[in-house]
């Protein structure tokens, strides 16, 4: 099958001479959609903070647990996944449609790397549907207009914002974007959000982020756990609240809680 003009253009915009967040994430997850420059940066970051590669895995597993809970316990059948990232194992539509084949998912990302691989996100069950939009988080109106072609925005939607608002530097802009998206969704909708945090007992994380912001793209912003919790203002936070992603309903369910990673997440319900 021939590439679409958009995908062909996206491939032409991919830079292989500069490390990129999505590709480093892919490298840490054991994927193959990365280049030597990404591997070198990923290894250097891991030297500064040996546990940082675990963040990618913790965030991915958090996504799966959140989607399974929303579909199985709360009856959610629609997902708006912004900041999708490179396709990996168990993408949102795969997790949701495994439980409820009729689920509908709209993916949004503005990264040419992701667009070039977006075909993998569009393989839906016959009963459900998936769509992909090449758009920036800041263009809320365009996202909602496009999403409404696949999703019924009069029915509950799970808004997925995993590791994406870290790329919005100004706090008020970041909070405002999330609020505009949540406000556009009906009661019964949910916000699933994860974010890299800064905390006094995790100084090596700050060093790794500083290295990244000097050498990679796009730049990212850390926030305190309390600042991450603020994204859920006005929502009912589901237990256990905003916590390290690997401590949000860990699958083993017993024994000592896993060691914290500096990627925190939570799920909130709109009343």
């Amino acid at each position: 099958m021939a590439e679409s003009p958009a995908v062909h253009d996206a491939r032409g915009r991919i830079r292989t001479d500069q490390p990129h967040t999505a590709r480093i994430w892919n490298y840490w997850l054991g994927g193959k959609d990365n280049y030597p420059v990404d591997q070198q940066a990923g290894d250097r970051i891991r030297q500064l903070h040996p546990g940082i590669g675990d963040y990618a895995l913790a965030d991915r597993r958090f996504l799966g647990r959140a989607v399974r809970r929303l579909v199985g316990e709360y009856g959610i059948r629609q997902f708006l996944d912004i900041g999708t990232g490179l396709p990996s194992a168990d993408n949102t539509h795969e997790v949701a449609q495994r439980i409820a084949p009729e689920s509908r998912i709209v993916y949004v990302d503005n990264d040419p790397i992701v667009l070039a691989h977006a075909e993998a996100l569009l393989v839906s069950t016959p009963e459900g549907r998936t769509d992909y939009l090449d758009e920036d988080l800041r263009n809320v109106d365009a996202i909602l207009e496009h999403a409404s072609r696949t999703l019924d925005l009069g029915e509950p939607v799970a808004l997925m914002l995993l590791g994406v608002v870290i790329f919005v530097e100004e706090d008020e802009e970041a909070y405002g974007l999330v609020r505009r998206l949540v406000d556009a969704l009906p009661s019964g909708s949910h916000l699933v959000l994860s974010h890299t945090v800064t905390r006094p007992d995790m100084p090596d994380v700050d060093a790794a982020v500083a290295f990244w912001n000097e050498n990679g793209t796009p730049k990212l912003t850390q926030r305190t756990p309390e600042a991450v919790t603020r994204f859920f203002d006005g929502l009912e936070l589901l237990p256990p609240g905003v916590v390290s992603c690997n401590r949000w309903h860990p699958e083993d369910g017993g024994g000592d809680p896993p060691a914290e990673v500096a990627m925190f997440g939570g799920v909130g319900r709109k009343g």
Side-chain angles (χ1 to χ4, degrees):
M1 184 181 296
E3 286 186 341
S4 69
V7 171
H8 180 77
D9 175 67
R11 292 191 186 279
R13 290 187 282 135
I14 295 174
R15 291 188 57 178
T16 61
D17 61 336
Q18 186 175 30
H20 192 283
T21 300
R23 299 193 308 243
I24 291 179
W25 212 248
N26 178 265
Y27 172 55
W28 284 336
L29 284 170
K32 298 180 179 179
D33 297 311
N34 51 78
Y35 298 95
V37 67
D38 307 303
Q39 298 162 19
Q40 292 163 10
D43 290 342
R44 176 59 178 147
I45 292 170
R46 195 147 34 194
Q47 288 174 358
L48 293 167
H49 179 50
I52 203 165
D54 297 336
Y55 295 7
L57 186 58
D59 195 49
R60 199 71 189 176
R61 288 177 174 172
F62 168 63
L63 179 151
R65 294 195 300 272
V67 171
R68 285 192 295 271
R69 188 167 291 264
L70 290 175
V71 174
E73 296 188 20
Y74 293 90
I76 297 297
R77 297 294 184 268
Q78 303 188 109
F79 294 82
L80 177 55
D81 189 337
I82 305 176
T84 306
L86 279 164
S88 183
D90 281 346
N91 301 291
T92 298
H93 75 283
E94 294 169 316
V95 178
Q97 291 180 348
R98 197 175 296 137
I99 304 169
E102 71 275 19
S103 298
R104 295 188 170 204
I105 295 87
V106 173
Y107 292 106
V108 181
D109 208 298
N110 70 335
D111 191 328
I113 299 167
V114 179
L115 175 59
H117 293 81
E119 293 91 341
L121 299 171
L122 300 177
V123 182
S124 173
T125 58
E127 303 93 331
R129 187 175 171 188
T130 65
D131 193 12
Y132 180 88
L133 172 63
D134 180 24
E135 189 56 86
D136 190 286
L137 168 65
R138 294 172 175 84
N139 296 330
V140 172
D141 291 341
I143 290 173
L144 293 171
E145 191 279 329
H146 185 95
S148 68
R149 304 174 194 175
T150 299
L151 308 179
D152 179 355
L153 298 186
E155 295 294 327
V157 174
L159 171 63
M160 313 288 291
L161 294 172
L162 276 73
V164 61
V165 291
I166 62 176
F167 301 117
V168 182
E169 181 178 4
E170 295 298 327
D171 285 347
E172 294 311 312
E173 181 184 15
Y175 293 126
L177 289 169
V178 174
R179 179 53 51 201
R180 286 179 62 196
L181 287 162
V182 171
D183 284 350
L185 303 178
S187 296
S189 294
H190 289 74
L191 169 65
V192 183
L193 183 144
S194 67
H195 198 297
T196 304
V197 300
T198 180
R199 226 170 53 175
D201 60 341
M202 296 179 173
D204 48 348
V205 178
D206 298 345
V209 170
F211 171 83
W212 172 254
N213 285 341
E214 291 174 4
N215 296 276
T217 184
K219 311 300 183 189
L220 61 87
T221 298
Q222 295 168 275
R223 292 183 170 92
T224 65
E226 294 76 16
V228 176
T229 302
R230 185 180 161 191
F231 284 107
F232 295 91
D233 283 357
L235 303 178
E236 175 195 353
L237 259 176
L238 303 189
V242 175
V243 296
S244 179
C245 282
N246 57 354
R247 292 188 173 186
W248 197 89
H249 295 285
E251 291 169 324
D252 58 14
D256 294 331
E260 286 190 314
V261 297
M263 178 68 75
F264 276 44
V267 179
R269 182 181 185 276
K270 183 175 180 179

